[in-house]
Amino acid sequence: MPPKRNYGQFCSLARALDLVGERWTLLIVRDLLAGPRRYKDLMDGLPGIGANLLAARLKHLEETGLVKRSNPQFANKAYMLTDTGRKLEPALVALADWGQFLLEHPQGKDLWLAQWNHLALKARFKAEKAAGLDEIYAFQIGDYAYYLWVTNGKLVTGEGRPPKFQCLITMEPEPFIKVFVDGSLELEEAMNSGLLELEGSQEAFQRCLGLFTGEGG
Amino acid sequence: MPPKRNYGQFCSLARALDLVGERWTLLIVRDLLAGPRRYKDLMDGLPGIGANLLAARLKHLEETGLVKRSNPQFANKAYMLTDTGRKLEPALVALADWGQFLLEHPQGKDLWLAQWNHLALKARFKAEKAAGLDEIYAFQIGDYAYYLWVTNGKLVTGEGRPPKFQCLITMEPEPFIKVFVDGSLELEEAMNSGLLELEGSQEAFQRCLGLFTGEGG
DNA sequence: CGGAATCCTCTTCGATACTG
DNA sequence: CAGTATCGAAGAGGATTCCG
């Protein structure tokens, strides 16, 4: 094994990039921030990575203590972040926040996964609008379920269906993208045509929308 | 010119990394956050980059609107960040903050430049301790002068000697590293032995130190 | 079938040499 | 000083194969 390439600078940014600055690495962390993932799950969300590279990255992340394998007692073995790895979230949110202006409207043929909303929504979350709120908003986008829990002016997100919620939004990915991502479909229209199914409190849904810049999600 | 490699994902983090995720790019941005820099300055602060790569990165950053060349009317032509580029600062600070645990004490033979303090100090700044303060702390580390301006609970940094200041710390890089970076020399001892020269208010200097985690800088 | 190791080709990097 | 040119070395990407 060749001596890993590094910047040789006594600077915490350079050190951080020595660890997670290689191609794909931060995207792997992004996907693991949404929850534990198996090798195959990661492959599916990272088209083009190549099996060897993903394996190498995971091994490196494991060796450096950012990723661990879930306890075999649980269902399928999977990769998940350690506490150290999870602490990267603010940095990823900051980068995602910066990168929002690069999301041009015509989506082209890029991949889009509902699980990326965890990061995208944290980047767009307006904490000052959440004061005093304590609500849970559930989403079902295609077969991917997640929820937003707003409490203490903070946004916590999770996967799956929460035990209780103020409202539940059910949509297929295509209309979701059109309404909340590229804005090519009006929210009103989606609701009228049944592409957006809302269960629970209409007012909670409106409050949810208000927590993010333009629209919500 | 081959079509630039990109992740092909509709995700603002992936888009951000398409732009600034390549090797060296964020370190170039870091150095430009401290102030305008000429080609040579950047080369000196990025040992190992190779002239062609630096040229390629700068060209790319210029094309994508993160970097511009300073107006020729000023002294030497230099590279500097655009507004878009400067907005990367919070993301770099967040990454640098995360990376602090990687700064082991024995510094080895890594490069260290005083200008990296701009980022390092922003990463370590404790905003809650700055409430009500409005002070300027000047530093002269070797031949590099910079200052910290704490106002409105925020930390603003700049290069050069500020027109006024509450205190001025003068040190050579080696003792500075020992005292403030790797902790191998006690602050008291440095002051007593004249390695740290303090001009102005001793109390202001103590307040300055209090604004950062362990020690100050 | 999920999780990799292997092979091979292509691109990028890094170091040095060279030019305006 | 500010880059361009060149070339060997390292890394990335894709397919295939192996292992459990």
Side-chain angles (χ1 to χ4, degrees), chain A:
Chain A
M1 167 144 37
K4 255 199 84 50
R5 188 188 279 181
N6 69 359
Y7 288 115
Q9 301 188 354
F10 197 76
C11 161
S12 64
L13 175 65
R15 282 284 153 77
L17 293 173
D18 283 340
L19 237 70
V20 298
E22 292 171 289
R23 192 162 162 76
W24 295 111
T25 301
L26 285 180
L27 296 186
I28 295 172
V29 174
R30 172 200 64 188
D31 285 1
L32 290 178
L33 274 171
R37 291 289 186 275
R38 287 168 308 165
Y39 186 88
K40 177 68 157 45
D41 301 328
L42 291 169
M43 279 296 273
D44 292 345
L46 302 170
I49 192 179
N52 54 348
L53 254 198
L54 177 56
R57 293 290 185 266
L58 286 171
K59 192 166 149 195
H60 179 230
L61 287 171
E62 215 178 332
E63 285 168 357
T64 53
L66 305 197
V67 160
K68 63 187 174 193
R69 296 165 110 109
S70 71
N71 204 310
Q73 81 192 54
F74 288 117
N76 257 320
K77 61 194 166 187
Y79 295 92
M80 56 193 305
L81 293 175
T82 62
D83 284 348
T84 305
R86 203 168 302 105
K87 286 190 186 127
L88 270 167
E89 185 181 281
L92 294 201
V93 169
L95 257 180
D97 189 17
W98 179 81
Q100 284 182 72
F101 76 100
L102 297 167
L103 288 177
E104 81 295 345
H105 274 202
Q107 188 202 337
K109 50 199 287 301
D110 289 345
L111 181 66
W112 182 89
L113 296 182
Q115 61 179 9
W116 297 339
N117 273 330
H118 292 278
L119 190 65
L121 292 172
K122 276 172 180 151
R124 292 167 53 188
F125 182 63
K126 304 298 173 194
E128 68 276 11
K129 297 188 183 173
L133 266 189
D134 192 337
E135 294 193 309
I136 296 174
Y137 316 110
F139 290 81
Q140 181 73 46
I141 309 303
D143 53 9
Y144 185 73
Y146 67 101
Y147 62 88
L148 313 181
W149 180 19
V150 177
T151 180
N152 284 326
K154 292 190 173 174
L155 172 62
V156 177
T157 74
E159 298 195 295
R161 182 68 53 87
K164 60 177 187 173
F165 48 81
Q166 272 63 46
C167 63
L168 164 66
I169 291 89
T170 304
M171 294 182 82
E172 287 307 305
E174 293 76 12
F176 183 91
I177 292 173
K178 287 185 181 168
V179 174
F180 295 116
V181 182
D182 70 22
S184 63
L185 178 62
E186 289 295 320
L187 176 60
E188 287 282 336
E189 202 174 330
M191 298 188 74
N192 292 338
S193 58
L195 291 171
L196 187 158
E197 212 176 306
L198 173 61
E199 183 181 321
S201 160
Q202 163 91 38
E203 291 73 28
F205 178 49
Q206 290 300 331
R207 283 193 294 275
C208 173
L209 294 180
L211 294 172
F212 306 93
T213 326
E215 346 265 279

Side-chain angles (χ1 to χ4, degrees), chain B residues 20 23 91 96 110 124 135 169 172 210:
Chain B
V20 299
R23 191 162 163 76
D110 289 347
R124 293 167 53 189
E135 294 192 310
I169 291 88
E172 287 307 303

Side-chain angles (χ1 to χ4, degrees), chain A residues 12-13, chain B residues 92-101 122-124 126:
Chain A
S12 64
L13 175 65
Chain B
L92 294 201
V93 169
L95 257 179
D97 189 18
W98 179 81
Q100 285 183 73
F101 75 100
K122 276 172 179 151
R124 293 167 53 189
K126 304 297 175 196

